[in-house]
Amino acid sequence: MPTKRKYWLMKSEPDVFSIEALEKKKSEGWDGVRNYQARNFMREMREGDLVLFYHSNAKPSGVAGVATIVGEARPDPTQFDPKSDYYDAGSTREEPRWDLVEVGFVEKFEDVIPLETLKADAKLEGMLVTRKGSRLSVTPVEKAHFERVLKLAGSKTRA
DNA sequence: GCCAACGTTGGC
DNA sequence: GCCAACGTTGGC
């Protein structure tokens, strides 16, 4: 019996990496996460989990599509690379501090669901990304909230 | 560009 | 271990 699928939201600035870029590449290592809480959530991710792909610092910011976990947590190689923006001199190969997961493309929404819409939707009350000042780039999402966002997007993806 | 939120760092 | 200073995120 496989473990029950879980649901997540992951933020990315579209100037850095967008849903369009993921569509083109099919899958991508989600590197650069340098927050322990976000890292710990990534470690809980399992193949087949679904992800709301969120565009932050965008016009408008909001959910741009759906992704899925195709590879579970492993050390993020950028932490060892002195030339990388994500280099962490305090991390060693013996005891890596940061992980990434491999994320696969599922769907790009016809229109981004803006944060404003999420906040205004009574059915999404309590969703972490709608909380004022929420900066965490990886958060768990309740199944009901995930399904609601799919519905708002007119998505055919089945949660 | 501003600034609120909040995680991290470092002095003590 | 406390907490002020600092840096970053991210909406607006």
Side-chain angles (χ1 to χ4, degrees), chain A residues 79-141:
Chain A
Q79 70 195 300
F80 309 123
D81 179 2
K83 291 192 291 295
S84 170
D85 286 346
Y86 304 127
Y87 178 62
D88 182 350
S91 186
T92 65
R93 286 179 190 278
E94 291 69 34
E95 277 185 83
R97 201 175 271 175
W98 306 112
D99 283 0
L100 56 71
V101 291
E102 192 79 14
V103 166
F105 177 79
V106 174
E107 175 188 19
K108 178 191 165 184
F109 291 161
E110 204 143 317
D111 297 297
V112 171
I113 310 299
L115 179 60
E116 194 186 359
T117 302
L118 303 178
K119 282 181 170 171
D121 193 307
K123 289 199 169 74
L124 294 177
E125 204 182 332
M127 193 176 175
L128 288 171
V129 75
T130 67
R131 280 185 37 190
K132 190 184 168 190
S134 162
R135 296 188 309 153
L136 198 56
S137 64
V138 179
T139 55
V141 174

Side-chain angles (χ1 to χ4, degrees), chain A residues 12-155:
Chain A
S12 177
E13 300 192 23
D15 291 347
V16 179
F17 189 68
S18 66
I19 189 77
E20 291 84 3
L22 181 63
E23 181 170 26
K24 221 171 272 180
K25 292 196 67 177
K26 310 292 183 207
S27 81
E28 175 82 348
W30 199 274
D31 60 17
V33 171
R34 294 295 180 268
N35 171 286
Y36 288 105
Q37 226 182 322
R39 181 204 66 184
N40 292 343
F41 283 134
M42 289 203 298
R43 287 181 174 174
E44 290 178 34
M45 292 177 178
R46 295 296 172 260
E47 269 183 46
D49 284 2
L50 288 178
V51 177
L52 295 175
F53 194 122
Y54 183 92
H55 282 176
S56 61
N57 270 320
K59 291 175 186 174
S61 292
V63 180
V66 180
T68 185
I69 302 303
V70 296
E72 297 177 7
R74 61 181 164 86
D76 175 352
T78 62
Q79 70 195 300
F80 309 123
D81 179 2
K83 291 192 291 295
S84 170
D85 286 346
Y86 304 127
Y87 178 62
D88 182 350
S91 186
T92 65
R93 286 179 190 278
E94 291 69 34
E95 277 185 83
R97 201 175 271 175
W98 306 112
D99 283 0
L100 56 71
V101 291
E102 192 79 14
V103 166
F105 177 79
V106 174
E107 175 188 19
K108 178 191 165 184
F109 291 161
E110 204 143 317
D111 297 297
V112 171
I113 310 299
L115 179 60
E116 194 186 359
T117 302
L118 303 178
K119 282 181 170 171
D121 193 307
K123 289 199 169 74
L124 294 177
E125 204 182 332
M127 193 176 175
L128 288 171
V129 75
T130 67
R131 280 185 37 190
K132 190 184 168 190
S134 162
R135 296 188 309 153
L136 198 56
S137 64
V138 179
T139 55
V141 174
E142 292 171 27
K143 185 177 187 186
H145 287 165
F146 199 100
E147 288 173 328
R148 178 62 179 164
V149 173
L150 292 181
K151 190 171 181 193
L152 290 173
S155 165

